[in-house]
Amino acid sequence: MEPMAEVAEVASRLRAGMERIVVGNDETILAFLLALFGGGHVLVEGVPGTAKTLFVRLLALLLGTSYRRIQFTPDLMPSDVVGTTVFNPQTAEFSLRRGPIFTNLLLADEINRTPPKTQSALLEAMEERQVTIDGDSQPLEGLFLVCATQNPVEFEGTYPLPEAQLDRFFVRARTGYPSAAQERELLMRVAGGFDARDLTAAGVERVASDDEVLAAQRSVRRIHVSASLGTYIQAIVARTRAANDVALGASPRAAIALLVASQVRAAIGGSDFITPDDVKDVAALVLAHRLIVRPEAELDGVTPERVIEQVLASVEVPRDANAPIPAQ
């Protein structure tokens, strides 16, 4: 099987596994696939009861990988996340006690409920795949995915994530209320015996391995990106910085994330080159949480998603962008 077909096959298995359990939220499923195959991290926002934690638990079971959960609270300390060294009086030596961050899939639940000092404990891990404990660097697992959740409507007793940390999340997904038909389907599943607290009983099994995901990550980076598409992506990011309603535009890290996410989008669709449609499909997921809208524009109802929609409409699409890869 061709590498791109293998990526599409693994993505199809994971998507089917998530759709069996979660009703609706197609865009959230796409966001998780983008982060997983793009080697990034995902921030999940949604009001209580919209399957934020369920998504992460479900993905861990579908991958059959190690999974840890941290409930972020105001009194959580950095050492509670990364670990610490402990003195053993019997041996008169210090030993490393690893924190829950040493795992493949980490759920940082309600990340905005802990102070910035503890939030920052994730920065090195998310960017460099290592943590420093008492001056010693400790590498993390080959497959490492941080899935952080937060409630966007409850602000009392919370600490908004700083821009530096938001920029390190590859994508932001939003879980919302289901449609009437979807909610009826959910209710009938529960009436039929489905219990989200026992996913194993619901028939959730491993459908992909860590090695398959790591191989998919390598294959994704070989997706062809034409010079015109590179220029198109750069123009989109630059236009966010020049938008009148934006106080802070997308960073170069955001531009790289947009390119890689577009490669993932193409790969899971079975293509070996990206198109403008791939870029447009992932732009809001990659860029929206990185933009800061001016306060006066917010009062007029302007949102980051609206800014991105306007930017995509204003940037000229390259004419040769859908051309196949030239023969070598």
Side-chain angles (χ1 to χ4, degrees), residues 23-319:
V23 178
N25 282 304
D26 292 341
E27 190 172 75
T28 305
I29 293 175
L30 174 60
F32 273 92
L33 294 176
L34 293 176
L36 183 64
F37 295 125
H41 309 284
V42 57
L43 176 64
V44 189
E45 290 186 353
V47 297
T50 53
K52 299 187 297 297
T53 303
L54 176 61
F55 261 111
V56 185
R57 291 173 43 231
L58 177 58
L59 182 60
L61 285 175
L62 292 172
L63 293 173
T65 194
S66 61
Y67 160 76
R68 301 290 296 275
R69 172 178 177 167
I70 306 175
Q71 188 66 45
F72 279 72
T73 57
D75 59 348
L76 193 73
M77 298 297 293
S79 59
D80 297 325
V81 176
V82 301
T84 186
T85 52
V86 179
F87 181 72
N88 187 335
Q90 295 179 339
T91 62
E93 294 179 345
F94 285 93
S95 60
L96 174 64
R97 180 176 294 173
R98 295 188 170 192
I101 202 169
F102 288 90
T103 187
N104 293 123
L105 199 158
L106 177 69
L107 170 58
D109 205 12
E110 296 188 292
I111 190 174
N112 58 333
R113 289 200 173 276
T114 200
K117 179 180 180 180
T118 304
Q119 291 175 1
S120 65
L122 290 174
L123 290 178
E124 182 183 14
M126 293 172 67
E127 188 66 21
E128 301 177 27
R129 298 295 198 276
Q130 67 174 27
V131 294
T132 302
I133 303 174
D134 289 343
D136 293 329
S137 296
Q138 304 289 334
L140 298 173
E141 301 284 348
L143 175 61
F144 178 65
L145 173 64
V146 174
C147 303
T149 71
Q150 63 178 4
N151 182 346
V153 298
E154 188 176 354
F155 300 105
E156 185 176 354
T158 63
Y159 303 84
L161 294 177
E163 285 69 35
Q165 186 148 357
L166 284 172
D167 200 36
R168 283 170 170 78
F169 282 101
F170 191 71
V171 290
R172 181 185 66 183
R174 282 180 166 165
T175 57
Y177 292 122
S179 66
Q182 291 170 341
E183 196 159 16
R184 284 194 296 269
E185 180 183 349
L186 172 62
L187 292 173
M188 295 313 298
R189 287 187 185 184
V190 174
F194 171 73
D195 186 352
R197 294 168 296 185
D198 190 356
L199 294 178
T200 303
V204 177
E205 298 178 345
R206 179 179 182 175
V207 298
S209 66
D210 292 0
D211 289 340
E212 284 181 307
V213 173
L214 292 173
Q217 290 178 354
R218 293 189 293 269
S219 296
V220 159
R221 301 308 298 273
R222 295 197 292 270
I223 293 287
H224 178 72
V225 181
S226 67
S228 61
L229 257 296
T231 301
Y232 178 61
I233 291 172
Q234 190 279 327
I236 290 172
V237 174
R239 193 66 60 89
T240 67
R241 302 167 191 158
N244 293 330
D245 294 328
V246 174
L248 180 69
S251 68
R253 184 189 285 120
I256 294 171
L258 182 56
L259 185 146
V260 175
S262 301
Q263 289 178 305
V264 176
R265 183 67 184 87
I268 63 180
S271 177
D272 53 7
F273 64 95
I274 72 171
T275 68
D277 285 340
D278 294 320
V279 180
K280 292 177 180 179
D281 285 347
V282 302
L285 292 170
V286 174
L287 300 179
H289 63 290
R290 306 171 194 262
L291 305 184
I292 297 180
V293 176
R294 296 185 185 278
E296 58 271 24
E298 280 189 311
L299 293 175
D300 292 333
V302 177
T303 63
E305 288 80 7
R306 179 177 169 184
V307 170
I308 293 168
E309 184 179 334
Q310 293 171 344
V311 166
L312 292 175
S314 65
V315 175
E316 183 179 0
V317 177
R319 295 182 179 179

